[in-house]
Amino acid sequence: FDADRSLPGFHFVPWPYDWMNDPNGPMWDPVHEKYHLFYQYQTPRMWGHAVSDDLVSWQQLPMAITRQKDYDEGGDFSGSGTIMDDENKTP
């Protein structure tokens, strides 16, 4: 991003560039030892996903939630996330 001074230096920017909103987290995942960031992406809303080791350098992952059913054709909106790392998957 050094070549484009209009992009933020310390904030995640999804690719391809599109509407981004409502970052949720970041949250620490003790199982994989990564920070996870989920965010609303594109319109109608889907949820993007990125991971980081240091909260500065981010790796974009495939979409976390996509519009797949008729009930979410208008988009998927904010909620919450939980790391469930115990045997019973207790939130």
Side-chain angles (χ1 to χ4, degrees), residues 14-33:
W15 179 260
Y17 301 137
D18 205 327
W19 183 87
M20 177 186 172
N21 186 40
D22 199 15
N24 282 268
M27 62 181 151
W28 174 250
D29 173 0
V31 175
H32 301 100
E33 297 185 348

Side-chain angles (χ1 to χ4, degrees), residues 1 4 6-18 20 37 39 41 50 56 58-60:
F1 294 111
D4 189 340
S6 67
L7 293 174
F10 291 100
H11 294 277
F12 173 74
V13 177
W15 179 260
Y17 301 137
D18 205 327
M20 177 186 172
L37 177 69
Y39 54 92
Y41 183 56
V56 175
W58 291 91
Q59 176 187 1
Q60 186 169 330

Side-chain angles (χ1 to χ4, degrees), residues 23-91:
N24 282 268
M27 62 181 151
W28 174 250
D29 173 0
V31 175
H32 301 100
E33 297 185 348
K34 300 272 185 194
Y35 291 97
H36 290 261
L37 177 69
F38 296 91
Y39 54 92
Q40 289 181 351
Y41 183 56
Q42 300 181 334
T43 300
R45 314 292 184 265
M46 293 189 293
W47 282 89
H49 183 198
V51 294
S52 174
D53 293 320
D54 58 10
L55 297 174
V56 175
S57 301
W58 291 91
Q59 176 187 1
Q60 186 169 330
L61 299 177
M63 299 302 262
I65 301 173
T66 60
R67 301 176 303 274
Q68 297 179 358
K69 304 286 184 187
D70 59 346
Y71 55 76
D72 65 358
E73 69 184 27
D76 298 303
F77 293 84
S78 297
S80 63
T82 303
I83 303 294
M84 298 183 294
D85 64 348
D86 67 339
E87 188 174 304
N88 295 322
K89 303 296 183 204
T90 307

